[in-house]
Amino acid sequence: MNGRLKAAGGAVGGGLLVAGTTSDAGKSVVTAGICRWLARQGVRVAPFKAQNMSLNSFVTREGAEIGRAQAMQAAAARVEPTALMNPVLLKPGSDRSSQVVLLGKPVGELSARGYHAGRQEQLLGTVTDCLAELRRTHDAVICEGAGSPAEINLRRTDIVNMGLARAARIPVVVVGDIDRGGVFASFFGTTALLSKEDQALVAGYLVNKFRGDVTLLEPGLAMLRGLTGRQTLGVLPFAHGLGIDEEDGLRVSLRGAVRESVVAPPYGAEVLRVAVCAVPLMSNFTDVDALAAEPGVVVRFVDRAEELADADLVVLPGTRGTVRALEWLRARGLAAAIARRAAEGRPVLGICGGFQMLGELIEDEVESKAGTVEGLGLLPVRVRFAAEKTLARPAGEALGEPVEGYEIHHGVAEVTGGDEEFLDGCRAGSVWGTHWHGSLESDGFRRALLRRVASDAGRAFVPAPDTCFAALREEQLDRLGDLIEEHADTAALLRLIEEGVPDGLPFVPPGAP
């Protein structure tokens, strides 16, 4: 298969764009699944998302910030993630503006109007150059779209859906979530709202999250083909716990390990309850997936003070708005409840923005421009926001165990005391803080921390000795590959990747207005 792909494209690898009828239709999962299926066939495949809007990000080994979904898709493809795979990352700071990260580095803040009014079009050349480079070095590149390709108000400046497909001349497969209902109307309407030139690239559909007997769906699929002239390339069954590190917010993220996995029985006598404060602009909340993967650890997201009462560990996660999140904690009574926990010696863990909130003082003329703000005062730390963002992949040791992580923050922490150093942060009593994301994926460290938490909380909880988070991730990615291999028309997908856009795809009126 490897040779066939190269023969089809000469010096340029094959390509495919996975679009969706809506956000959360399953584009990220399908892209990852196709990457894993191809990688298992010996194909050198890479993922690509031209433009991503996400507060869940990752740092590559070259020190570039990209969306976590693309990092996980790279893992599915069994390749090292790079900035080429997600050249434009938008990190919302409010409903109206985002930080623009270009080729892994922040280049400024832009309003949504300012971005779509010109900046986005200027980035098309950068995006297509990145895709071309990936295609030169890989047999196939599987691109993920964003939102819906039929967002006709944004089509003129589009660089991630049909704009990318037109520029790179790659076929498009549209994914629809049948669990939401209306999938046939969504497929037809999405196609019919595209221009004739865009429709010529839409090669077929994939039904996602189907429950029941597929034979009952077949008459509708036949009618859809008659209406659009395009076949459905697979019906993927609904399956729990198949979410990867996704991008669109907490509602989407909870589709993964935290919400849909079955909590395994505890290895010891009792469970351990973890409450994660769902702060505004929460970022990299995927940090707690490793906790949720532990047998007997129950993770939930909370937004009320009373929900902390039975928690054995409270986690303050990262946020793109540290000062705003502090105000939110205080307004909801959560700040006072966390302070009471600390006074009682009950465990609290702050990660990145959560670590900054636990400190004594925050000087912020960069993110919120609020000036000097008092923190929760639970850690001997002062934070000053710098214009330059820290992007790093640190490694070290804590609790006698090796730890790896990654850092993404503007806040520079000055630790002035504490009972012990903790991953470049500190511990004071039962309160822990670090800027390191991803540290809980280090198995020995995670188990050591859970033992400390259980001891402080007075729980007869014992972490399982053999939970390997990396292995669980690999199993999940293999399940995604199985989903494509067993339920999609892989021969048809391969033809699209190898041979490009099929000729003679019919126009579906009325087309773009």
Side-chain angles (χ1 to χ4, degrees):
M1 182 181 295
N2 200 353
R4 287 170 59 199
L5 281 165
K6 275 303 180 188
V12 177
L16 180 72
L17 175 68
V18 178
T21 57
T22 62
S23 294
D24 197 25
K27 298 183 291 291
S28 296
V29 165
V30 168
T31 301
I34 294 175
C35 285
R36 176 49 59 101
W37 161 63
L38 287 172
R40 292 196 303 210
Q41 311 306 310
V43 175
R44 293 180 301 170
V45 58
F48 180 77
K49 185 156 186 173
Q51 172 194 297
N52 197 345
M53 178 172 280
S54 178
L55 287 172
N56 282 338
S57 57
F58 182 76
V59 179
T60 68
R61 294 208 178 275
E62 78 242 46
E65 183 179 8
I66 66 171
R68 274 198 67 95
Q70 279 61 66
M72 289 305 300
Q73 289 162 354
R78 295 175 175 154
V79 295
E80 187 69 28
T82 74
L84 292 173
M85 297 173 184
N86 180 205
V88 181
L89 173 63
L90 305 178
K91 302 194 72 174
S94 70
D95 291 339
R96 295 180 178 270
S97 68
S98 295
Q99 182 181 67
V100 180
V101 179
L102 179 62
L103 292 173
K105 304 296 180 183
V107 294
E109 296 272 340
L110 272 182
S111 68
R113 180 177 293 275
Y115 184 68
H116 289 288
R119 177 63 167 162
Q120 191 176 29
E121 283 181 289
Q122 297 169 12
L123 295 173
L124 180 60
T126 300
V127 161
T128 54
D129 286 348
C130 290
L131 176 56
E133 178 61 23
L134 287 174
R135 294 181 75 181
R136 279 193 293 270
T137 54
H138 294 79
D139 301 326
V141 180
I142 308 303
C143 308
E144 179 188 343
S148 163
E151 291 167 352
I152 54 179
N153 56 315
L154 303 177
R155 174 61 186 91
R156 182 181 63 81
T157 58
D158 171 52
I159 63 173
V160 64
N161 290 308
M162 302 313 300
L164 177 70
R166 285 266 290 275
R169 194 65 191 170
I170 54 176
V172 178
V173 173
V174 181
V175 179
D177 179 359
I178 197 170
D179 197 48
R180 290 182 171 186
V183 75
F184 293 117
S186 297
F187 282 142
F188 181 85
T190 296
T191 308
L193 276 176
L194 301 179
S195 69
K196 183 176 182 179
E197 294 78 9
D198 286 352
Q199 285 192 28
L201 302 177
V202 176
Y205 310 112
L206 269 172
V207 176
N208 193 26
K209 304 176 192 174
F210 179 71
R211 308 173 192 248
D213 185 348
V214 176
T215 60
L216 298 177
L217 199 62
E218 288 172 353
L221 301 179
M223 285 186 275
L224 181 67
R225 183 165 187 175
L227 288 166
T228 67
R230 292 156 175 86
Q231 66 177 354
T232 298
L233 304 174
V235 178
L236 310 182
F238 187 97
H240 287 284
L242 283 184
I244 62 172
D245 293 353
E246 299 184 68
E247 62 206 37
D248 293 328
L250 177 61
R251 178 183 61 81
V252 175
S253 172
L254 293 185
R255 184 168 312 286
V258 174
R259 189 178 71 182
E260 292 196 351
S261 63
V262 176
V263 177
Y267 186 78
E270 292 185 287
V271 300
L272 206 65
R273 295 175 174 83
V274 178
V276 184
C277 295
V279 298
L281 298 174
M282 184 164 42
S283 60
N284 286 69
F285 41 83
T286 48
D287 282 334
V288 300
D289 282 354
L291 294 178
E294 282 284 350
V297 176
V298 181
V299 178
R300 66 183 188 276
F301 287 83
V302 303
D303 58 9
R304 298 196 303 265
E306 57 269 25
E307 293 178 294
L308 304 186
D310 67 342
D312 302 306
L313 171 65
V314 169
V315 176
L316 283 177
T319 172
R320 182 79 164 95
T322 300
V323 171
R324 177 178 167 184
L326 259 176
E327 294 170 349
W328 182 87
L329 288 173
R330 287 176 169 134
R332 289 180 167 261
L334 284 158
I338 291 168
R340 286 194 297 272
R341 287 184 63 88
E344 295 165 359
R346 302 173 67 195
V348 177
L349 171 64
I351 302 173
C352 200
F355 167 43
Q356 296 166 7
M357 288 186 276
L358 290 171
E360 298 167 342
L361 209 64
I362 297 170
E363 297 177 26
D364 182 12
E365 299 291 351
V366 175
E367 189 175 77
S368 68
K369 297 179 172 59
T372 302
V373 178
E374 286 189 8
L376 298 178
L378 301 179
L379 288 176
V381 175
R382 291 173 174 252
V383 176
R384 176 184 54 82
F385 274 67
E388 185 174 349
K389 181 185 283 191
T390 297
L391 296 169
R393 289 279 293 269
E397 183 178 299
L399 303 179
E401 298 287 346
V403 189
E404 294 184 358
Y406 57 99
E407 295 184 62
I408 306 169
H409 54 90
H410 284 278
V412 178
E414 178 190 0
V415 179
T416 60
D419 297 323
E420 64 177 303
E421 184 181 339
F422 178 67
L423 301 178
D424 293 336
C426 68
R427 175 185 68 83
S430 61
V431 181
W432 310 72
T434 176
H435 271 134
W436 292 22
H437 293 292
S439 61
L440 294 168
E441 296 180 19
S442 298
D443 298 324
F445 164 71
R446 182 181 64 252
R447 286 192 278 269
L449 181 65
L450 289 175
R451 283 192 290 269
R452 288 284 291 270
V453 167
S455 176
D456 288 348
R459 291 285 184 191
F461 169 85
V462 178
D466 56 355
T467 302
C468 176
F469 189 71
L472 291 174
R473 272 264 164 83
E474 273 297 297
E475 289 175 12
Q476 187 181 44
L477 294 172
D478 273 331
R479 290 179 65 200
L480 295 178
D482 293 343
L483 201 69
I484 297 299
E485 188 168 344
E486 295 170 9
H487 300 282
D489 185 342
T490 53
L493 288 174
L494 190 60
R495 278 195 302 274
L496 291 176
I497 295 167
E498 290 181 326
E499 300 172 10
V501 182
D503 295 328
L505 291 169
F507 173 69
V508 180

